[in-house]
Amino acid sequence: MVITRRWAVFLVLVGVWTWLIWPRFGLAIWRDDRSFDGGSPTAFLWIHALLIAASLAIGTTVGVLGIRAWRAGTRAGTSAVTGTSAGAGAGAGAGTSAGAGTSAGAGTSAGAGTSAGAGTERSVAGPGSAPKD
């Protein structure tokens, strides 16, 4: 999967928008007369609290993915994130890569990352993995 810098910025903006809008909506729901009945929270409050919490979790995840995509593009020295790697493989020999991906060029690849060119792999590995160039 390719995530360009433009999409990375969009994802970050969606995360920021989520955190600007939903807390204000939560405050409006809290102040709404339908939220409490005799001092006890109503179903109206609970369902909106659940919706707000879910939206904030999704928005945070989207924003974090945007930041990670931006940083991955910066590390790779390109304007795009060119794939994700979930395998434990590293390049082994000239023109081969074990781990993740599809192959474009002269390299061979097994797994789920992205190889481009003559055996070089440009992918975003999982946490704790060093990028391959």
Side-chain angles (χ1 to χ4, degrees):
M1 173 191 275
V2 174
I3 300 176
T4 63
R5 288 239 169 155
R6 185 176 295 185
W7 278 108
V9 168
F10 175 75
L11 294 174
V12 170
L13 290 176
V14 168
V16 169
W17 173 261
T18 299
W19 276 96
L20 290 174
I21 295 303
W22 285 104
R24 295 180 68 194
F25 181 71
L27 188 58
I29 294 298
W30 185 266
R31 292 177 178 166
D32 193 296
D33 293 336
R34 298 170 288 178
S35 295
F36 295 97
D37 185 23
S40 297
T42 63
F44 176 83
L45 178 66
W46 286 113
I47 195 66
H48 283 90
L50 179 66
L51 289 170
I52 292 166
S55 294
L56 288 173
I58 292 167
T60 301
T61 302
V62 168
V64 168
L65 289 174
I67 291 168
R68 290 183 66 184
W70 179 272
R71 288 182 178 170
T74 302
R75 278 194 308 265
T78 64
S79 64
V81 177
T82 56
T84 57
S85 174
T96 62
S97 72
T102 57
S103 171
T108 59
S109 179
T114 303
S115 279
T120 61
E121 182 172 348
R122 289 215 174 242
S123 64
V124 179
S129 300
K132 299 171 196 152
D133 283 70

